[in-house]
Amino acid sequence: MQDRHNIHIALPHRPAIRSALENALRAASNLDLGKYDVTDKIDDAEVVVTDSETQLNEIGRLPEAVRFLQLIDCGSGEPNMTGDGLTVANTSSLLVDDPADWAIDQWHEIARRSSRTRQNEPSVAGIIGFGSLGFELGKRLNELGAKIWVNDIRTPEQMSFQSVGARRSSLDLLLSQSDVMFLAVHHGPTSDPLLSRRELGLIENDATVINMSGAKVVDLEAIKMLNESQDRKIDYREMPSDLGSASASRRPRAATSWVLDNLGNYALNHHPRSIVEHVTHPVAGDPAFWASRMHPRQTPV
């Protein structure tokens, strides 16, 4: 590591977080950061701390000098990445409650109007993406008695989905069998979009897609076309984009502690918590997964 680290705090819309971080950095005595400063100029910064909304809308592409991006929400850091040498971490493990609350509220609202609920049949929930948020959703849906299918491009730890009563599934099977699908994936090369016309065509009539990953992972025009041309209704719902950042604003002390801990981890060359894995094909990912024909693309779209 270099002798000097420019720690950029880019939170103009989150003054409580910015103030808390600046105060904590001045008071911290256990961070092995050498010389550092807090600056609004990131041209030579090695470490950037921000939220994904600010990064996307105000920063532009990160400078090549940046080696560590710490997001204070559940974002992924794309599309403004600088290359393979950049480590990205977010605070998803800390802030999953608000997005999970929103998703479960949608589940309850759907259940109230579902004919299956009236017939005392368990609804089938499909969770696409089984990271911090997907696992939290699985726990809550399991408590509600849902039948749970899980799809992830990586291989989650076996006990993680067993503990929530979930069954691993191919994407095609999950889409064709689920009453409600929760998207909890990061946008990237394998999810641009993840649900295109082919995948959306597998969804049952009156099923619901709850998107917690941003509009780019779903072909919205395909949903519109399918609903209009095939006399069907895919109920599409998208989580407010700033919900993760709002969670951090409501918990500035916890978010600040998380960020300081990760800055210390970075300075000591330790892995940060809630590291973001930008899965690509075929460089990263689980080779057994790709060989199993469980990956999303089987035939041309």
Side-chain angles (χ1 to χ4, degrees), residues 13-272:
H13 304 303
R14 305 285 184 267
I17 292 287
R18 178 174 183 139
S19 177
L21 280 170
E22 290 175 334
N23 292 336
L25 282 167
R26 282 194 292 266
S29 59
N30 61 342
L31 292 180
D32 186 20
L33 291 173
K35 293 182 179 179
Y36 69 90
D37 58 12
V38 179
T39 175
D40 286 327
K41 297 180 180 179
I42 66 170
D43 293 345
D44 300 316
E46 182 176 342
V47 177
V48 173
V49 181
T50 185
D51 61 5
S52 53
E53 184 179 2
T54 299
Q55 187 213 348
L56 176 64
N57 296 325
E58 298 184 19
I59 294 179
R61 185 170 176 83
L62 292 172
E64 293 293 335
V66 176
R67 308 272 35 96
F68 179 49
L69 171 63
Q70 172 67 64
L71 299 169
I72 64 165
D73 53 20
C74 302
S76 67
E78 290 194 316
N80 307 322
M81 309 300 291
T82 62
D84 294 337
L86 174 66
T87 297
V88 183
N90 60 25
T91 54
S92 59
S93 298
L94 176 69
L95 303 176
V96 294
D97 286 343
D98 282 357
D101 286 343
W102 177 85
I104 294 301
D105 285 344
Q106 304 301 307
W107 173 266
H108 285 309
E109 192 274 320
I110 294 164
R112 284 193 292 270
R113 62 173 174 78
S114 170
S115 59
R116 287 196 173 195
T117 302
R118 290 192 294 270
Q119 296 169 6
N120 294 319
E121 296 182 19
S123 295
V124 181
I127 303 175
I128 305 172
F130 206 59
S132 300
L133 179 55
F135 180 64
E136 181 64 26
L137 282 172
K139 289 194 298 183
R140 299 187 185 201
L141 290 166
N142 185 43
E143 293 171 356
L144 295 172
K147 181 179 179 181
I148 304 170
W149 295 80
V150 168
N151 175 264
D152 197 298
I153 199 169
R154 303 158 301 175
T155 300
E157 293 182 10
Q158 186 72 17
M159 290 303 297
S160 63
F161 50 91
Q162 283 184 350
S163 67
V164 299
R167 178 179 177 182
R168 195 174 183 212
S169 165
S170 68
L171 181 62
D172 287 4
L173 184 60
L174 181 150
L175 293 172
S176 64
Q177 296 294 318
S178 300
D179 300 306
V180 182
M181 285 133 278
F182 298 89
L183 273 69
V185 301
H186 291 307
H187 175 255
T190 55
S191 58
D192 189 20
L194 179 64
L195 301 189
S196 63
R197 188 182 186 282
R198 175 192 174 278
E199 288 76 31
L200 292 165
L202 300 173
I203 296 175
E204 290 291 319
N205 190 31
D206 292 328
T208 301
V209 174
I210 297 180
N211 183 3
M212 312 177 73
S213 307
K216 291 185 178 181
V217 303
V218 179
D219 187 342
L220 301 181
E221 287 299 317
I223 290 180
K224 181 180 178 181
M225 182 181 67
L226 286 168
N227 284 348
E228 291 177 350
S229 65
Q230 298 190 9
D231 191 27
R232 61 187 299 169
K233 177 61 178 177
I234 298 174
D235 181 10
Y236 175 77
R237 306 179 183 202
E238 190 171 307
M239 186 180 77
S241 60
D242 62 347
L243 190 57
S245 297
S247 300
S249 294
R250 286 192 290 273
R251 303 184 63 186
R253 184 172 298 178
T256 299
S257 176
W258 186 281
V259 170
L260 289 179
D261 185 55
N262 266 359
L263 290 176
N265 287 337
Y266 173 74
L268 296 172
N269 294 317
H270 296 164
H271 284 295

Side-chain angles (χ1 to χ4, degrees), residues 1-5 33-36:
M1 294 189 62
Q2 302 174 2
D3 291 335
R4 185 173 184 78
H5 309 287
L33 291 173
K35 293 182 179 179
Y36 69 90

